[in-house]
Amino acid sequence: MTAGRLSFILSFCLACSACVALRGGMLTPRENPTRELKELSGVWKFRADFSPNRKRGFEEQWYKRRLEESGSVIDMPVPASFNDITQDVQLRDFIGWVWYEREASIPHHWTSSDPGPRVLLRVGSAHYYSVVWVNGVLVTQHEGGHLPFEADITSLVQSDPSPSCRITIAVNNTLSLHSLPPGTVTYNPDTSRYPPGYFVQNIDFDFFNYAGIHRPVILYTTPKAYIDDITVTTKINENIGLVLYNVSVEGSTEATVTVTLCDKKGNNVATGNTSSGALKVPNANLWWPYLMHKDPGYLYTLEVHMKAKSHSYLFEDQYTLPVGIRTVRVTENEFLINEKQFYFHGVNKHEDSDIRGKGLDWPLIMKDFNLLHWLGANSFRTSHYPYSEEIMDLCDKYGIVVIDESPGVGIKQVESFDNQSLSHHLVVMEELVRRDKNRPSVVMWSVANEPASELPPAGYYFKTVITHTKALDPTRPVTFVSNSHFARDKGAPYVDVICVNSYFSWYHDPGHLEVIQIQLNTQFEDWYKTYHKPIIQSEYGADVVPGLHSDPPLMFTEEYQKAVMQEYHAVFDVKRKEYVIGELIWNFADFMTVQSTTRVVGNKKGIFTRQRQPKAGAFILRDRYWNLANETGQLPPRSRFP
Ligand code: GCB
């Protein structure tokens, strides 16, 4: 591949990153009497653009007619990563544009413009850069995986009231130094060593760069004057809960808004008749984390109704938002939820599984929540990118506490700290906060994982990203996860909670379990004495090839993972009485990575296999977490959980 050819893949992405401007809300679409929803999951037509410059689809305008008229197509499931669906190794490791297409039938009444509904096309997430056309007309572009985006296609479907429309989505997984996560492409024109046109994508993060349409694509409607966004924050005063809300309406300047807060049984507990205000809830049922209360994850519902006049039409819209009443506060050595000490005993996860890669999969989601319950885990970090809204809804419901992480992983090169990267990172934080701001399960934002935070520009960079995130959401603490030296980390001064990853006796002093306690103790003391902030051990662990055994423990055996965990736990048990406020194992389950000499078909640090079967370490953690829950909360009977 020549430099010119390569630059096309990147320049398209970069030129467009400047077009991303955050406007309006991004409420999770929900069906109700004023809104309809049509999910487009299923089999789509698919074509990867294998042309040398990956540009043929644009040159030949594949979006202008049916994709199969452009050349041969295959069937591809949506949602799913495309990588592991076929037997084609070239598709598995493909870099560049892939094209998806399907026809969607449009209900007759959606095509009426008198007044007709507003019609939206929404993609839950697609990795990494997406361009969307409807009937050959460009409707939106979006940079970044893991977060939703949508296009208003009302005028298109109403100006051409045919019974179906053709949706084409081109997705490019090429990462650049300014994408999030960053990556680079190197090409090798030396044909004595590489085939012609050879190039590879390099990444500085440890999970496979799965690509495609990862979350559901849906069509949904709202009235033309509609509830655009709702923001809720909560406070507690003695036993009175306070729900502060703000509703924004688009499409009319003459809207009236009423809100009703209902409890779980459907009783009205408070009402309001303005677009913003405070609702008082006497004897409020608070939202408590799993294992901290006999009824965790208590959710009220905020029923928002809007009536508006516009162009002599009367519009009515409604939206129901789950609301958990809870507070979060950080002191020098504690994390408080509802003013009670909270200790994170949880996991780091990935959205990852056989065949579907990062595609949303309901059976897997339910299995994972059942395993979290079984394990006695009260929390997880969305390492290393935002997880699906479907997962987040269940965290709210089950009381699983979340550290909500942005895709800021692998920020290692100095170029990735420049203004272009910084502005993109700010937009991503806006998208993330906009999506998850109302979720009681989210107790902290993590803006990055293991950046090169010792580099000179890291101070300004993280100060800016963290300050911006706090301005977007003054109610939650903000962190990033560090593996830098405590004295040289330039971002740590700006975080509320120190999150540290370390792999003693694995990447450092491999095979030497005897160093763990000394080194971990030193790690905690160094960070605490420097910053006087609470600390979470945000990663620790060891790879296990399931079924490998040895006593005395040797690396990669089940016994070694157990031993590493027990050495870490001994120190946690001392330090959690002082300032350590949590421990998150790396990782919940094995997951796919790039191929390398240190990865045996992926990362094997899971306490469960990729197929969600327990390794020996899972039982160690289960005993520990249930014991911790017994100490720190009101434990429901263990038998309640599968
Ligand atoms: C880390 C990274 C995580 C890796 C893990 C490992 O520090 O944050 O993404 O997968 O180590 O296993 O190397």
Side-chain angles (χ1 to χ4, degrees):
M1 162 163 283
T2 65
R5 283 170 181 172
L6 167 66
S7 67
F8 169 75
I9 299 177
L10 300 179
S11 64
F12 191 89
C13 301
L14 300 183
C16 291
S17 68
C19 342
V20 180
L22 214 49
R23 286 199 315 267
M26 191 56 73
L27 293 172
T28 304
R30 296 187 206 281
E31 214 164 15
N32 67 29
T34 63
R35 294 171 174 230
E36 290 177 75
L37 195 151
K38 211 173 147 49
E39 192 171 326
L40 303 179
S41 297
V43 179
W44 289 49
K45 298 278 176 241
F46 176 90
R47 183 173 180 194
D49 184 347
F50 281 104
S51 63
N53 63 4
R54 304 295 197 250
K55 205 176 163 183
R56 182 173 298 154
F58 287 91
E59 289 166 347
E60 296 178 355
Q61 301 184 319
W62 289 355
Y63 50 90
K64 285 275 187 198
R65 55 215 162 106
R66 286 166 60 226
L67 195 55
E68 58 197 342
E69 290 173 34
S70 74
S72 62
V73 294
I74 59 170
D75 287 338
M76 186 58 72
V78 170
S81 303
F82 61 75
N83 310 75
D84 290 345
I85 299 295
T86 74
Q87 300 309 102
D88 182 354
V89 67
Q90 280 186 300
L91 184 59
R92 182 174 191 275
D93 293 326
F94 181 81
I95 305 160
W97 292 101
V98 297
W99 293 72
Y100 287 81
E101 183 207 78
R102 76 160 272 177
E103 293 279 330
S105 69
I106 304 287
H108 186 60
H109 60 282
W110 290 16
T111 61
S112 150
S113 55
D114 189 23
R118 191 170 150 260
V119 182
L120 293 112
L121 173 62
R122 186 188 217 255
V123 180
S125 81
H127 188 75
Y128 172 81
Y129 196 92
S130 307
V131 187
V132 184
W133 296 263
V134 172
N135 293 337
V137 177
L138 177 70
V139 294
T140 194
Q141 306 179 35
H142 182 259
E143 178 174 358
H146 320 290
L147 287 164
F149 56 95
E150 58 185 32
D152 185 333
I153 60 166
T154 313
S155 57
L156 259 168
V157 295
Q158 291 173 2
S159 61
D160 172 14
S162 43
S164 76
C165 67
R166 182 167 39 83
I167 299 169
T168 315
I169 306 182
V171 186
N172 191 333
N173 59 356
T174 312
L175 303 176
S176 76
L177 283 169
H178 306 294
S179 59
L180 219 56
T184 54
V185 174
T186 50
Y187 59 95
N188 200 315
D190 178 356
T191 50
S192 68
R193 297 175 61 225
Y194 296 95
Y198 184 86
F199 65 94
V200 287
Q201 169 96 70
N202 313 298
I203 50 177
D204 266 323
F205 53 87
D206 183 38
F207 54 91
F208 192 76
N209 190 34
Y210 277 114
I213 302 178
H214 283 153
R215 297 182 192 150
V217 179
I218 62 166
L219 288 168
Y220 76 99
T221 64
T222 74
K224 283 195 171 134
Y226 59 97
I227 298 163
D228 179 51
D229 201 8
I230 306 169
T231 307
V232 161
T233 56
T234 60
K235 290 184 179 166
I236 302 162
N237 190 355
E238 311 247 300
N239 62 347
I240 300 176
L242 209 56
V243 176
L244 304 148
Y245 69 92
N246 184 57
V247 178
S248 61
V249 169
E250 288 291 331
S252 169
T253 46
E254 294 170 55
T256 55
V257 171
T258 54
V259 298
T260 310
L261 192 73
C262 299
D263 66 15
K264 254 189 179 172
K265 292 184 185 142
N267 303 318
N268 294 0
V269 295
T271 53
N273 54 11
T274 46
S275 59
S276 65
L279 304 175
K280 267 193 190 167
V281 187
N283 300 316
N285 286 304
L286 304 186
W287 187 94
W288 287 102
Y290 173 56
L291 298 178
M292 209 169 165
H293 192 268
K294 60 183 182 343
D295 190 10
Y298 191 97
L299 293 175
Y300 291 85
T301 50
L302 186 71
E303 315 271 356
V304 180
H305 289 258
M306 179 229 69
K307 283 189 183 166
K309 259 196 177 161
S310 179
H311 299 99
S312 73
Y313 291 113
L314 186 65
F315 294 101
E316 280 192 46
D317 192 15
Q318 67 188 64
Y319 191 88
T320 302
L321 184 77
V323 171
I325 301 178
R326 62 110 186 85
T327 58
V328 170
R329 191 164 69 88
V330 171
T331 71
E332 208 176 80
N333 56 1
E334 300 157 303
F335 198 96
L336 302 170
I337 296 185
N338 302 337
E339 292 300 308
K340 288 226 167 97
Q341 278 188 358
F342 178 73
Y343 186 75
F344 294 78
H345 44 90
V347 303
N348 292 276
K349 289 185 94 262
H350 264 299
E351 288 181 321
D352 173 274
S353 70
D354 287 332
I355 305 171
R356 64 261 308 134
K358 293 204 175 302
L360 181 126
D361 180 56
W362 275 112
L364 180 81
I365 290 174
M366 290 318 308
K367 179 74 177 175
D368 282 5
F369 276 102
N370 286 334
L371 288 175
L372 290 172
H373 283 149
W374 177 88
L375 199 61
N378 63 3
S379 52
F380 65 76
R381 170 167 68 122
T382 68
S383 45
H384 294 307
Y385 38 79
Y387 293 176
S388 70
E389 286 155 274
E390 290 81 350
I391 293 175
M392 302 301 282
D393 283 347
L394 291 174
C395 290
D396 289 338
K397 180 174 170 187
Y398 297 146
I400 299 292
V401 168
V402 177
I403 300 173
D404 204 353
E405 188 157 280
S406 89
V409 57
I411 308 176
K412 301 286 189 190
Q413 309 299 320
V414 74
E415 295 90 330
S416 299
F417 288 92
D418 70 7
N419 282 342
Q420 186 177 343
S421 294
L422 179 56
S423 352
H424 179 54
H425 204 147
L426 300 183
V427 172
V428 172
M429 291 316 301
E430 286 172 24
E431 290 188 358
L432 176 58
V433 173
R434 175 175 68 171
R435 193 195 73 162
D436 288 348
K437 63 186 170 187
N438 295 323
R439 298 188 174 281
S441 58
V442 175
V443 299
M444 180 154 67
W445 306 107
S446 163
V447 302
N449 179 71
E450 295 189 355
S453 44
E454 299 182 27
L455 289 179
Y460 174 74
Y461 188 94
F462 283 107
K463 181 178 181 194
T464 311
V465 177
I466 290 171
T467 307
H468 189 62
T469 308
K470 281 175 172 286
L472 294 167
D473 175 11
T475 70
R476 291 179 179 89
V478 183
T479 190
F480 74 89
V481 171
S482 177
N483 67 340
S484 291
H485 188 268
F486 73 97
R488 292 194 292 272
D489 191 308
K490 299 206 166 31
Y494 308 106
V495 301
D496 296 304
V497 171
I498 302 281
C499 287
V500 202
N501 295 347
S502 58
Y503 287 91
F504 304 127
S505 92
W506 193 261
Y507 295 122
H508 312 283
D509 305 295
H512 289 280
L513 293 164
E514 67 277 18
V515 305
I516 293 180
Q517 293 201 24
I518 303 170
Q519 295 190 2
L520 186 58
N521 193 63
T522 306
Q523 167 202 285
F524 284 142
E525 287 293 285
D526 284 345
W527 279 99
Y528 192 71
K529 281 187 184 140
T530 312
Y531 287 108
H532 289 279
K533 293 176 184 177
I535 303 177
I536 295 177
Q537 181 73 37
S538 38
E539 284 182 29
Y540 70 105
D543 285 81
V544 178
V545 177
L548 277 192
H549 293 284
S550 81
D551 185 22
L554 299 181
M555 289 176 78
F556 294 100
T557 64
E558 305 225 12
E559 288 73 16
Y560 197 86
Q561 187 189 47
K562 270 167 63 176
V564 167
M565 285 163 65
Q566 284 162 332
E567 293 297 315
Y568 266 81
H569 296 165
V571 181
F572 295 159
D573 280 338
V574 177
K575 294 298 173 191
R576 71 189 166 86
K577 303 203 169 73
E578 300 173 26
Y579 48 76
V580 169
I581 56 157
E583 52 187 90
L584 305 175
I585 189 78
W586 190 263
N587 188 284
F588 174 74
D590 294 345
F591 58 92
M592 192 47 68
T593 63
V594 288
Q595 298 181 63
S596 86
T597 50
T598 57
R599 294 289 176 255
V600 191
V601 194
N603 187 309
K604 293 276 187 278
K605 293 194 186 69
I607 52 160
F608 296 102
T609 65
R610 202 182 191 208
Q611 295 72 33
R612 276 44 182 185
Q613 296 307 320
K615 301 179 188 174
F619 295 96
I620 296 288
L621 212 58
R622 183 178 194 228
D623 276 346
R624 175 171 178 78
Y625 282 1
W626 281 95
N627 286 337
L628 283 170
N630 261 323
E631 272 180 34
T632 57
Q634 298 170 7
L635 192 62
R638 192 157 160 165
S639 59
R640 246 179 74 183
F641 302 103

